[in-house]
């Protein structure tokens, strides 16, 4: 399948509400992170080589910015019937392998992916303290087939700006990855 770029949703757009089950049994909602000065919502999967390439870096950035008060959630919205490597069991293995310290949520209905206009895995969005979209784009320039560090340079710069109360300078480079594995009839292109 061809690589897919993230949609570039309009900055300032409010974060859509969600309540989703987490790998491990808890339920997490947007309201649970209301007090954080910034929120990272990322759409990931276990099987995608673009995610696999940067997953340890994602774990490191998540832990580092958690210590700065940033809330982070990962969401897997893929169709697990056709992509069983993205089942909750395998997501738990990925979280352990990559050192994720943030909730990994399962969007079985794919309604949250549609609400956030997620297009690919990985896909990253950052919201400010008022839960207005401040950044949408790549984690960094690391991709399968290159040797660039998976250090989250682009996401870090965005988070640093948001935490400083400044706008994230544009242009934002879209994320690139495997397209969301939509269930029949759920793709935004079919709506």
């Amino acid at each position: 399948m061809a690589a897919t770029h993230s949609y570039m949703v309009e900055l300032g757009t409010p974060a859509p509400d969600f309540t989703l089950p987490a790998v491990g049994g808890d339920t997490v909602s947007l309201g649970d992170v209301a007090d954080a000065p910034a929120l990272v919502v990322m759409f990931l999967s276990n099987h995608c080589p673009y995610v696999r390439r940067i997953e340890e870096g994602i774990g490191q950035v998540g832990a580092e910015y958690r210590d700065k008060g940033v809330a982070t959630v990962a969401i897997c919205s893929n169709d697990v019937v056709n992509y069983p490597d993205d089942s909750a069991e395998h997501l738990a293995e990925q979280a352990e392998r990559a050192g994720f310290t943030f909730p990994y949520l399962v969007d079985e209905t794919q309604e949250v992916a549609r609400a956030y206009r997620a297009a690919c895995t990985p896909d990253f969005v950052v919201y400010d303290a008022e839960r207005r979209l401040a950044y949408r784009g790549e984690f960094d320039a690391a991709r399968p087939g290159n040797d660039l560090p998976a250090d989250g340079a682009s996401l870090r710069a965005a988070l640093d700006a948001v935490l400083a109360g400044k706008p994230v300078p544009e242009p934002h480079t879209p994320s690139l990855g495997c397209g969301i594995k939509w269930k029949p009839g759920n793709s935004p292109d079919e709506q």
Side-chain angles (χ1 to χ4, degrees):
M1 175 175 265
T4 301
H5 285 95
S6 56
Y7 294 116
M8 299 306 279
V9 175
E10 184 176 345
L11 295 175
T13 300
D17 199 10
F18 64 84
T19 300
L20 292 171
V23 172
D26 294 334
T27 299
V28 177
S29 68
L30 184 62
D32 294 333
V33 295
D35 295 336
L39 168 65
V40 178
V41 178
M42 59 183 88
F43 290 84
L44 303 179
S45 67
N46 179 48
H47 83 276
C48 174
Y50 290 86
V51 175
R52 288 278 184 121
R53 170 72 169 83
I54 63 173
E55 67 185 6
E56 286 182 18
I58 291 169
Q60 292 166 357
V61 170
E64 177 183 334
Y65 281 85
R66 178 193 64 209
D67 293 342
K68 297 178 182 186
V70 173
T72 300
V73 296
I75 301 172
C76 183
S77 299
N78 281 353
D79 173 7
V80 298
V81 171
N82 291 308
Y83 297 87
D85 284 346
D86 292 333
S87 69
E89 172 188 351
H90 293 294
L91 299 179
E93 293 168 1
Q94 178 186 23
E96 177 74 22
R97 175 180 72 236
F100 293 172
T101 56
F102 44 79
Y104 204 163
L105 311 178
V106 178
D107 178 22
E108 184 177 342
T109 67
Q110 302 183 318
E111 290 174 10
V112 174
R114 283 200 323 271
Y116 277 80
R117 299 209 52 221
C120 57
T121 61
D123 211 345
F124 300 88
V125 289
V126 176
Y127 294 89
D128 63 18
E130 287 77 41
R131 296 304 174 255
R132 299 284 178 187
L133 183 64
Y135 175 78
R136 68 284 198 251
E138 68 179 5
F139 181 68
D140 58 28
R143 307 281 188 270
N146 74 27
D147 293 329
L148 297 174
D151 59 7
S154 300
L155 183 62
R156 285 174 186 274
L159 287 169
D160 291 343
V162 170
L163 291 174
K166 298 178 180 175
V168 180
E170 292 194 76
H172 302 172
T173 303
S175 193
L176 179 70
C178 302
I180 299 279
K181 306 306 185 235
W182 300 104
K183 295 177 182 179
N186 279 0
S187 168
D189 298 333
E190 298 173 323
Q191 302 295 310

